[in-house]
């Protein structure tokens, strides 16, 4: 963190460029920030273009030496479905004829030389899942996707649709020898309506690329997440990604206006509507949002993009209890209302891990059990600062917030966000992690972390020394969406840890009518746990829908349901 | 409209309680409004509780003397499906046994005395559609809905699910002798989470009642429309109603978190999730949103409600061209951004009709080809006023807006809204209306009105005298959503008018890839026109989905697809 400035109550400081420390129960100064709106706009831009290097880095490392266990070894109970054909040279020959260019086909079937090239498509970035795929296809058009799928369906060849392969539940890599259909070549920005704000792009368009394009037009992509530099918008839709600003811009079920998709039999579903309102029949596109590639492949996306905010503020607080975090959230919703764009929660454990890894100076001097990051985005910097100021004064006076700091420029905004966005990377550096992405009614949201920690501790598995497999049980997430990321950081994988965690965590969530997957999806990881969040009637209906669209079951098998 | 005040450039007036007239190209004064936030809150409340008396009034009149032609006479080509059984005394006896209370069954099967009581359920409020239903059932619980549907499905009795019966396309009234299942008794507010803002209510809950409840908690229902005093939230979902503030709060596909629904075979689909994020399987609830009761009956709704804004402003402009309306919209999106909650368009023709009917003094002295109503909703009245002021100055200086007025209190806010919301009622008073609710890419949105007017005129059907069947061709609607209401006001129904209008209008929309139904739905009216907005592949898939959920076709037959 950059330099900080202790507050003297009642003194007004102008044009300050460093974060302000907020003293407990002290009235805040009326800080008049003198940044031009241009500088503010730049600050916004920098935040949005932050790269997701961590994931890409790990992928590169992976290509050099992949020691990841095969999924088929980790989960020996999953057996290859004998109905699926094995890929032959004839199949490869068909695909080569169809796709033309050499680079569109990575062939490990007729030659062993492509083994290294296949690796990044076979493994996920967490090195948790690894398949035996020997053929990667990179279609360049919807028509090619259609012909590929029809051929696969006719020949009982299983496939895995793949975007940026940044998923967290093993949904985008094969288990056995499924063909990977990678959408990265279908990355065009196709159309943009500058008055209405409707963007149409290929499914392979990288989220950050789409957002940069929109920034140049004064708009913003209504989804933002850590992997934005690698993930593709088709994959985002297939996962129904939530991300950092769902609180403000809502879910993809609301913002996506249309899709083009290809069904397993090659049928092209052209539902690429660009209209905000279209009540002509069942909204079929919704089934593809969050379907994780199990009923078809999304090839194009039409999405409603909001106006980009020119002003942005970020504040970081320390709070004494989860009760106070809830109070702060309620106050923020009321007082910051239409400009609130993120309300993120981090516990002290998660921040301690970042400090251990990065050695960065922490935003606040003292330690608190909880920290919140609040972001505002609006069209008038002065108004937003004033609202934020009034909010800060109020929550300090009421004793809800104990200490805080306010970013004064783009560098500080980025630095504060790093204490939230950097958690995943920091945890990755320290060893294996059991990650749970869950939704729980707000009131009990953090209780899961405490109950899990107590349970791991009681089993003698948690400690500061090497003889304990578990280093820490931490929680963070999107408070605004009741979405908790419970992470169990381990020194080594130990079967006893898993036994203590599962099914305990899933049962805990079921009792509170929470969701075992808030935004990461089911993939392979949670396929067998869906029953904790969906009743048998729902699961039965879903299975029928799967069969309706994919009677041969070739789409992303062994996963989801 | 209340008194108005001519502007002198450069003069600042304080504490003004009357609308401000904005002179062309004149700089706006910095008006400091002195209203307390309480007064502003009251203003907000009044707007939101405006009743939808017109529709209820018409329904009452209807009960006294219903001269509406039967749908079966208006559309002789629609034949009763011979697969459906005719209701017998035995059937009625089963339902009486099931529902218990006398008032839950309106029986015109075993006795003629209920004829008058059946009428309101048989006819729509526009007096355009009228069925031959002889049995209305009003279940009081999901279990009763389930038993009713199972019995109907087993006995091949066709049904029409019905909410507040405020629909505009004949979707909620029977055509022949279908049983009406009216949800009005299932009107409870079941649960509300005051921190998260999640409301759970019965499908029969009236929209305005839900919104009043939410107002008391500081929240707002994310849907608002003219019929709010009569329409029910289950019906809103089934229609996928859009309304006045979709621009701000997004569509129901984004805000609805969960539903409970009953399938035709009696299966209760419990998907009543209260979480903002839940990625565990296909999002089946989305199929019921906008399904118009053709695959099941929604019995409960869980919805994410935003914080209620404490400050509200409404401005009304005159503009010289549709080009300038587009410019004003773009500027409003940019400058008012997060506080913009409505941007409505009215042409001079629509305003002239209101003036003719109400004799009210018009908001602006001069006539303009176009008028816009802009509403802002925010958490800080001073900030919002300042933003709106800056916006007004800007659009006046740029010559985008020619004249305008700004409401100064709740009465004036209501009065200005009446010039937009009163159009439907005014048109209804003048005689028959051909109503088209369509989405068109913004650039060409108003062109449809001009082309239609020219066509009707060229056919010699449009004029001021009684020998012309058409009085006016007018356009208005939700500019923010590209949603136009094209209305053709007639002195009498004349077959030639319909021939001039259709299929011309649908073909015109098809060429622009617009939607023939933006927010009203398909119902009976647009069943045969879906092909203008959906390709055969989509329609084919929809038909399969219909068969998947309702293999016997008992749900709301003769409509939708």
């Amino acid at each position: 963190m950059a330099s900080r400035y202790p507050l003297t109550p009642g003194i007004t400081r102008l044009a300050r460029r460093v974060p302000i420390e907020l003293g407990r129960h002290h009235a805040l100064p009326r800080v008049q920030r003198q940044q031009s709106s241009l500088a503010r706009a730049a600050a916004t831009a920098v935040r949005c273009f932050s790269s997701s290097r961590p994931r890409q880095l790990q992928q590169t490392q992976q290509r050099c030496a992949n020691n990841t266990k095969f999924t088929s070894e980790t989960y020996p109970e999953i057996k290859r479905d004998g109905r699926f054909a094995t890929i032959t040279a004839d199949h490869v020959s068909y695909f080569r004829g169809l796709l033309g260019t050499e680079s569109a086909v990575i062939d490990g079937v007729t030659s062993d030389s492509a083994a290294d090239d296949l690796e990044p498509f076979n493994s996920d970035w967490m090195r948790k899942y690894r398949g035996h795929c020997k053929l990667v296809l990179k279609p360049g058009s919807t028509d090619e996707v259609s012909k590929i799928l029809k051929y696969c369906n006719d020949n009982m060849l299983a496939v895995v649709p793949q975007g940026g392969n940044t998923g967290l539940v093993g949904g985008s890599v094969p288990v056995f020898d499924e063909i990977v259909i990678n959408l990265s070549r279908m990355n065009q920005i196709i159309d943009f309506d500058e008055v209405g704000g409707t963007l149409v792009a290929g499914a392979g368009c990288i989220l950050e690329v789409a957002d940069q394009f929109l920034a140049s037009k004064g708009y913003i992509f209504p989804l933002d997440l850590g992997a934005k530099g690698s993930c593709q918008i088709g994959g985002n839709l297939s996962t129904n990604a939530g991300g950092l600003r769902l609180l403000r811009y809502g879910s993809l079920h609301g913002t996506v206006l249309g899709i083009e998709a290809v069904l397993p039999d090659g049928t092209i579903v052209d539902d690429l509507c660009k209209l905000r309102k279209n009540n002509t029949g069942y909204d079929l596109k919704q089934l593809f949002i969050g379907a994780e590639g199990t009923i078809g492949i999304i090839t194009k996306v039409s999405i409603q993009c909001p106006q980009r905010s020119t002003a942005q503020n970020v504040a970081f607080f320390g709070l004494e209890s989860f009760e106070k975090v809830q109070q702060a959230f309620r106050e923020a919703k009321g007082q910051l209302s239409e400009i609130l764009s993120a309300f993120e929660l981090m516990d002290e454990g998660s921040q301690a891990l970042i400090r251990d890894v990065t050695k960065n100076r922490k935003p606040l001097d003292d330690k608190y059990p909880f920290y919140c990051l609040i972001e505002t985005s609006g069209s008038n910097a002065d108004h937003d600062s004033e609202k934020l100021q009034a909010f800060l004064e109020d929550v300090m006076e009421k004793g809800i917030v104990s200490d805080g700091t306010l970013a004064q420029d783009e560098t500080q905004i980025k630095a504060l966000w790093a204490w939230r966005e950097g958690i995943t990377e920091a945890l990755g550096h320290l060893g294996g992690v059991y990650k749970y992405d869950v939704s729980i009614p707000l009131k009990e949201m953090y209780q899961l972390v405490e109950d899990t920690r107590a349970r791991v501790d009681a089993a003698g598995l948690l400690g500061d020394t090497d003889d304990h497999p578990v280093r820490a049980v931490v929680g963070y997430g999107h408070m605004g969406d009741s979405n908790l990321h419970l992470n169990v950081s381990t020194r080594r994988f130990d079967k006893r840890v898993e036994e203590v965690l599962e099914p305990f965590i899933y049962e805990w969530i079921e009792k509170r009518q929470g969701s075992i997957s808030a935004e990461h999806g089911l993939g392979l990881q949670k396929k067998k746990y869906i029953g904790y969040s969906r009743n048998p009637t729902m699961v039965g209906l879903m299975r029928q829908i799967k069969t309706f669209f994919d009677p041969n079951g070739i789409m992303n098998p062994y996963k989801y349901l």
Side-chain angles (χ1 to χ4, degrees), chain A:
Chain A
M1 204 57 230
S3 60
R4 294 164 63 253
Y5 209 99
L7 263 202
T8 316
I11 295 179
T12 301
R13 292 195 181 80
L14 298 177
R16 208 184 326 212
R17 307 288 292 187
V18 294
I20 308 160
E21 183 181 349
L22 313 174
R24 193 191 235 289
H25 298 302
H26 287 166
L28 275 180
R30 303 284 291 176
V31 179
Q32 304 283 333
R33 295 204 273 148
Q34 301 295 317
Q35 279 179 273
S36 70
S37 33
L38 205 65
R40 288 165 198 283
T44 311
V46 168
R47 258 284 309 133
C48 297
F49 298 170
S50 76
S51 92
S52 56
R53 209 180 313 144
R55 292 197 190 177
Q56 288 171 322
L57 199 71
Q58 290 198 340
Q59 276 184 342
T60 311
Q61 289 168 340
Q62 208 169 36
R63 291 187 66 165
C64 302
N66 193 337
N67 302 318
T68 310
K69 250 176 119 173
F70 285 107
T71 307
S72 56
E73 292 165 8
T74 318
Y75 301 89
E77 69 278 14
I78 303 177
K79 305 293 180 198
R80 185 180 182 284
D81 189 331
R83 292 177 308 155
F84 298 138
T86 305
I87 313 167
T88 65
D90 280 353
H91 297 144
V92 176
S93 169
Y94 172 82
F95 293 124
R96 279 201 190 280
L98 173 65
L99 299 182
T101 67
E102 271 301 306
S103 62
V105 179
I106 303 176
D107 168 23
V109 177
T110 63
S111 130
D112 285 340
S113 64
D116 276 359
D117 293 336
L118 286 166
E119 238 3 276
F121 302 92
N122 254 323
S123 309
D124 73 318
W125 71 276
M126 295 182 305
R127 307 187 196 192
K128 202 169 160 192
Y129 302 96
R130 189 177 173 201
H132 299 273
C133 157
K134 294 201 164 173
L135 185 65
V136 174
L137 304 177
K138 297 183 179 176
S141 69
T142 305
D143 192 50
E144 287 179 0
V145 174
S146 166
K147 290 200 169 89
I148 290 170
L149 280 184
K150 182 172 174 16
Y151 186 85
C152 290
N153 199 47
D154 290 346
N155 291 279
M156 284 303 283
L157 292 163
V159 303
V160 175
Q162 190 179 73
N165 195 11
T166 58
L168 291 153
V169 289
S172 56
V173 287
V175 179
F176 298 102
D177 58 345
E178 300 89 86
I179 296 171
V180 167
I181 302 177
N182 185 288
L183 276 287
S184 54
R185 285 177 65 215
M186 295 181 62
N187 59 354
Q188 294 79 9
I189 299 230
I190 297 162
D191 187 40
F192 183 67
D193 171 356
E194 297 212 21
V195 178
T198 310
L199 175 78
V200 180
C205 184
I206 287 177
L207 175 58
E208 190 165 80
V209 171
D211 190 59
Q212 280 174 347
F213 169 83
L214 289 164
S216 72
K217 305 288 184 185
Y219 285 87
I220 188 169
F221 202 95
L223 169 76
D224 187 17
L225 67 165
K228 67 169 86 64
S230 315
C231 65
Q232 297 172 10
I233 59 174
N236 295 147
L237 263 70
S238 295
T239 314
N240 186 27
L244 302 164
R245 297 200 181 80
L246 187 131
L247 175 67
R248 175 69 167 270
Y249 302 122
S251 98
L252 291 170
H253 286 292
T255 53
V256 170
L257 301 179
I259 61 163
E260 179 193 76
V262 181
L263 302 186
D265 67 0
T267 300
I268 297 171
V269 179
D270 178 4
D271 188 15
L272 204 59
C273 175
K274 301 178 200 169
L275 307 162
R276 282 193 81 143
K277 289 179 174 175
N278 185 11
N279 280 358
T280 50
Y282 306 117
D283 198 353
L284 298 181
K285 70 170 182 289
Q286 302 286 356
L287 291 179
F288 292 81
I289 299 174
E292 302 185 29
T294 59
I295 57 173
I297 298 184
I298 295 173
T299 45
K300 288 183 189 137
V301 176
S302 166
I303 190 162
Q304 179 69 39
C305 301
Q307 204 79 17
R308 202 176 195 89
S309 297
T310 49
Q312 199 165 39
N313 291 293
V314 170
F316 189 101
F317 304 134
L319 305 98
E320 291 291 357
S321 68
F322 187 66
E323 183 61 36
K324 296 201 171 180
V325 174
Q326 291 179 73
Q327 288 170 20
F329 178 54
R330 184 70 214 257
E331 293 294 340
K333 286 216 307 178
Q335 297 182 43
L336 302 173
S337 189
E338 69 275 9
I339 61 165
L340 186 65
S341 54
F343 193 112
E344 298 288 309
L345 167 75
M346 299 81 74
D347 66 5
E348 162 57 22
S350 68
Q351 299 301 281
L353 294 176
I354 296 197
R355 291 197 298 269
D356 287 352
V357 172
T358 64
K359 314 294 180 203
N360 285 345
R361 187 177 164 187
K362 56 191 206 284
L364 305 175
D365 283 335
D366 295 329
K367 282 186 190 170
Y368 298 91
F370 296 97
Y371 305 91
C372 287
L373 184 149
I374 291 183
E375 183 192 80
T376 66
S377 304
S379 57
N380 184 310
D382 294 333
H383 291 171
D384 292 3
S385 298
E386 206 180 303
K387 283 191 185 87
L388 190 54
Q389 204 96 41
F391 166 72
L392 297 178
E393 281 176 29
D394 185 64
V395 289
M396 295 290 289
E397 268 168 29
K398 287 178 181 159
I400 296 171
V401 158
S402 301
D403 193 8
T405 183
L406 190 64
Q408 293 297 298
D409 58 31
E410 63 269 43
T411 311
Q412 293 179 7
I413 284 178
K414 221 175 153 181
L416 285 182
W417 262 110
W419 289 94
R420 165 63 186 86
E421 290 192 296
I423 300 173
T424 302
E425 191 190 353
L427 280 161
H429 275 276
L430 293 170
V433 186
Y434 288 93
K435 297 175 88 72
Y436 299 91
D437 155 54
V438 302
S439 282
I440 302 166
L442 210 58
K443 208 172 152 185
E444 295 194 87
M445 192 171 107
Y446 195 74
Q447 192 61 44
L448 175 60
V449 183
E450 287 173 351
D451 289 0
T452 304
R453 191 184 292 127
R455 188 175 158 88
V456 174
D457 195 22
L461 301 170
L462 175 67
D464 290 335
T465 54
D466 267 358
D467 52 330
H468 296 92
V470 176
R471 179 182 285 105
V473 177
V474 305
Y476 58 98
H478 314 294
M479 180 82 183
D481 317 325
S482 278
N483 179 186
L484 175 78
H485 297 309
L486 165 67
N487 280 216
V488 180
S489 172
T490 62
R491 296 188 171 84
R492 56 189 172 274
F493 278 108
D494 185 317
K495 196 72 189 165
R496 288 176 303 163
V497 177
E498 201 165 316
E499 284 165 4
V500 164
L501 297 175
E502 297 178 16
F504 167 75
I505 289 170
Y506 295 124
E507 287 170 353
W508 194 100
I509 291 161
E510 185 183 30
K511 270 182 215 149
R512 277 89 180 166
Q513 295 179 293
S515 171
I516 61 153
S517 175
E519 58 177 6
H520 295 173
L522 295 166
L524 187 77
Q525 187 191 334
K526 298 184 183 173
K527 172 192 160 77
K528 60 179 177 181
Y529 303 117
I530 185 171
Y532 287 102
S533 285
R534 299 286 193 181
N535 56 52
T537 305
M538 286 293 289
V539 175
L541 270 175
M542 288 179 192
R543 291 221 165 95
Q544 289 181 60
I545 288 285
K546 163 75 177 174
T547 306
F548 174 84
F549 281 99
D550 181 25
N552 290 341
I554 64 161
M555 302 300 301
N556 217 1
Y558 318 112
K559 299 166 192 161
Y560 201 67
L561 281 171

